[in-house]
Amino acid sequence: MLKVHHLNNSRSQRVLWLLEELGLEYEIEFYERDPRTMLAPKALRDVHPLGKSPVVTDGGRVLAESAAIIEYIVDEHGEGRLRPAAGSDDYFRYRYWMHYAEGSAMTPLLVKLICHQVRKKAPFLIRPIANKIADSVDSSYTDRSIALHMNYWEAELGKSEWFANDEFSAADIQMSFPLEAASARKASGSFPNVEAFVRRIHDRPAFQAALERGGPYKIG
């Protein structure tokens, strides 16, 4: 049986949501972050050397990286669901969004999080300097990059209700995390299509079921 090694407040929530959408049976092994460092415990590194989440085990297979896990589950257990027909134009859009989510979209969002942590955790005596550096990074790179991506999503979601086409797919599950994170650190501007997408995914019964099983999570 599939087992999700689930770290609180992590991307593994997407995997639980996918499994609920597909109606698959699965187990959850829970892990808690260190409250001071916010790092995963050693027990998760015993499953995969990087100690990151999500990690999924399926028999003797140990799977890591969100896109690889989602594609594996859909390909091996999805029975053709939650993906366009292989070889179609929609399929290649689906593959693009699946890898764009972590390959491009999350980069400025992670930098934004790092800058936030620098401001929050810098020692008192150097905090003014740390704040100035973080502000400079945000103003020169991060904020403009996030706005660029959000405007891109806004335009794409104006063409179809979901990312690959007009039908919900696993690509939307993969894209959920950057859109939620960007909405939490919203760039200046109006993004009604992005906001509507986030509302739609939160209203899905499978999304709610995943929260019930995995526990609530928040964007850091």
Side-chain angles (χ1 to χ4, degrees), residues 6 13 20 30 32 36 45-46 51 64 76 92 110 120 126 131 134 143 149 173 185-186 189 193 195-196 213 218:
H6 178 55
Q13 188 66 38
E20 291 291 339
F30 289 93
E32 292 290 325
R36 184 179 62 84
R45 294 198 301 275
D46 292 338
E76 295 294 317
F92 292 111
L110 288 171
K120 182 179 178 181
I126 66 169
N131 288 349
D143 292 339
H149 285 281
I173 295 176
R185 307 177 182 94
K186 188 174 179 180
N193 294 333
E195 292 169 0
R213 287 205 61 179
K218 61 181 179 179

Side-chain angles (χ1 to χ4, degrees), residues 97-114:
W97 292 113
M98 188 69 69
H99 294 276
Y100 160 89
E102 294 290 341
S104 296
M106 282 304 300
T107 301
L109 293 164
L110 288 171
V111 174
K112 185 78 170 177
L113 176 61
I114 291 169

Side-chain angles (χ1 to χ4, degrees), residues 86-163:
S88 66
D89 289 342
D90 288 343
Y91 177 77
F92 292 111
R93 283 178 55 81
Y94 160 88
R95 291 292 299 273
Y96 167 76
W97 292 113
M98 188 69 69
H99 294 276
Y100 160 89
E102 294 290 341
S104 296
M106 282 304 300
T107 301
L109 293 164
L110 288 171
V111 174
K112 185 78 170 177
L113 176 61
I114 291 169
C115 288
H116 173 72
Q117 293 299 319
V118 166
R119 295 186 186 96
K120 182 179 178 181
K121 296 184 177 181
F124 178 76
L125 291 177
I126 66 169
R127 190 167 299 164
I129 298 173
N131 288 349
K132 187 173 182 179
I133 294 171
D135 290 345
S136 177
V137 172
D138 277 344
S139 63
S140 65
Y141 165 70
T142 313
D143 292 339
R144 286 188 294 178
S145 294
I146 292 173
L148 177 67
H149 285 281
M150 292 193 76
N151 279 297
Y152 177 39
W153 307 334
E154 183 69 18
E156 291 298 310
L157 289 170
K159 300 173 185 176
S160 59
E161 188 174 35
W162 303 107
F163 276 101

Side-chain angles (χ1 to χ4, degrees), residues 17-18 21-22 74 78 80-84 94 98 168-171 173 204:
W17 175 21
L18 171 66
E21 290 281 357
L22 291 172
V74 170
R81 294 171 292 169
L82 296 186
R83 72 172 186 189
Y94 160 88
M98 188 69 69
F168 176 79
S169 75
I173 295 176
R204 293 184 70 86

